[in-house]
Coordinates of all heavy atoms in Angstrom, one line a residue:
E58 N 12.1 -12.3 -21.0 CA 12.2 -11.8 -19.7 C 12.3 -10.2 -19.5 O 12.8 -9.6 -20.4 CB 13.4 -12.4 -18.9 CG 13.3 -13.9 -18.8 CD 14.4 -14.5 -18.0 OE1 15.3 -13.7 -17.4 OE2 14.5 -15.7 -17.9
I59 N 11.7 -9.7 -18.4 CA 11.7 -8.3 -18.2 C 12.0 -8.1 -16.7 O 11.5 -8.9 -15.9 CB 10.3 -7.7 -18.6 CG1 10.4 -6.1 -18.6 CG2 9.2 -8.2 -17.7 CD1 9.2 -5.6 -19.3
P60 N 12.8 -7.2 -16.4 CA 13.2 -7.0 -15.0 C 12.2 -6.2 -14.2 O 11.4 -5.4 -14.7 CB 14.5 -6.2 -15.0 CG 14.4 -5.4 -16.3 CD 13.6 -6.2 -17.2
H61 N 12.2 -6.4 -12.8 CA 11.5 -5.5 -11.9 C 12.2 -4.1 -11.9 O 13.4 -4.0 -11.9 CB 11.5 -6.0 -10.5 CG 10.7 -7.3 -10.3 ND1 9.3 -7.3 -10.5 CD2 11.1 -8.6 -10.0 CE1 8.8 -8.6 -10.3 NE2 9.8 -9.3 -10.0
G62 N 11.3 -3.1 -11.9 CA 11.9 -1.7 -11.8 C 12.7 -1.5 -13.1 O 12.3 -1.9 -14.2
H63 N 13.9 -0.9 -13.0 CA 14.8 -0.6 -14.2 C 14.0 -0.2 -15.3 O 14.0 -0.9 -16.4 CB 15.6 -2.0 -14.4 CG 16.3 -2.4 -13.2 ND1 17.5 -1.8 -12.7 CD2 16.1 -3.6 -12.5 CE1 17.9 -2.5 -11.7 NE2 17.1 -3.6 -11.5
Y64 N 13.2 0.9 -15.3 CA 12.2 1.2 -16.3 C 12.9 1.5 -17.6 O 12.3 1.2 -18.7 CB 11.5 2.4 -15.8 CG 10.6 2.0 -14.7 CD1 10.9 2.4 -13.4 CD2 9.4 1.2 -14.9 CE1 10.1 2.1 -12.3 CE2 8.6 0.9 -13.8 CZ 9.0 1.3 -12.5 OH 8.2 0.9 -11.5
M65 N 14.1 1.9 -17.7 CA 14.7 2.2 -19.0 C 15.0 0.8 -19.7 O 14.7 0.7 -20.9 CB 16.0 3.0 -18.9 CG 15.8 4.4 -18.5 SD 14.6 5.3 -19.7 CE 15.6 5.1 -21.2
Q66 N 15.4 -0.1 -18.9 CA 15.7 -1.5 -19.5 C 14.4 -2.1 -20.0 O 14.3 -2.7 -21.0 CB 16.3 -2.4 -18.5 CG 17.7 -2.0 -18.1 CD 18.3 -3.0 -17.1 OE1 18.1 -4.3 -17.2 NE2 19.1 -2.6 -16.1
R67 N 13.3 -1.8 -19.2 CA 12.0 -2.4 -19.6 C 11.5 -1.8 -20.9 O 11.0 -2.4 -21.7 CB 11.0 -2.1 -18.5 CG 11.3 -2.9 -17.2 CD 10.4 -2.6 -16.1 NE 9.0 -3.0 -16.5 CZ 7.9 -2.8 -15.6 NH1 8.1 -2.3 -14.4 NH2 6.7 -3.2 -16.0
L68 N 11.7 -0.4 -21.0 CA 11.2 0.2 -22.3 C 12.0 -0.3 -23.4 O 11.3 -0.4 -24.5 CB 11.5 1.8 -22.1 CG 10.5 2.5 -21.1 CD1 11.0 4.0 -21.0 CD2 9.1 2.4 -21.6
V69 N 13.3 -0.4 -23.3 CA 14.1 -1.0 -24.4 C 13.6 -2.4 -24.8 O 13.4 -2.7 -26.0 CB 15.6 -1.0 -24.1 CG1 16.4 -1.8 -25.2 CG2 16.1 0.4 -23.9
K70 N 13.3 -3.2 -23.8 CA 12.9 -4.6 -24.0 C 11.5 -4.5 -24.7 O 11.2 -5.3 -25.7 CB 12.8 -5.3 -22.7 CG 12.3 -6.8 -22.9 CD 13.1 -7.7 -23.7 CE 12.6 -9.0 -23.8 NZ 13.5 -9.9 -24.7
M71 N 10.6 -3.7 -24.2 CA 9.3 -3.6 -24.8 C 9.3 -3.2 -26.3 O 8.6 -3.7 -27.2 CB 8.4 -2.6 -24.0 CG 8.0 -3.1 -22.7 SD 7.0 -1.8 -21.7 CE 6.6 -2.8 -20.2
A72 N 10.2 -2.2 -26.6 CA 10.4 -1.7 -28.0 C 10.8 -2.9 -29.0 O 10.3 -3.0 -30.0 CB 11.3 -0.6 -28.0
T73 N 11.7 -3.8 -28.4 CA 12.2 -4.8 -29.3 C 11.2 -5.9 -29.6 O 11.4 -6.6 -30.6 CB 13.4 -5.5 -28.6 OG1 13.0 -6.1 -27.4 CG2 14.5 -4.4 -28.4
V74 N 10.1 -6.1 -28.8 CA 9.2 -7.1 -29.1 C 7.9 -6.6 -29.8 O 7.0 -7.4 -30.1 CB 8.7 -7.8 -27.8 CG1 10.0 -8.4 -27.1 CG2 8.0 -6.8 -26.8

Side-chain angles (χ1 to χ4, degrees):
E58 293 187 6
I59 192 169
H61 289 296
H63 306 290
Y64 291 106
M65 288 307 299
Q66 293 182 36
R67 292 177 65 177
L68 288 173
V69 171
K70 178 64 178 181
M71 288 178 178
T73 62
V74 300

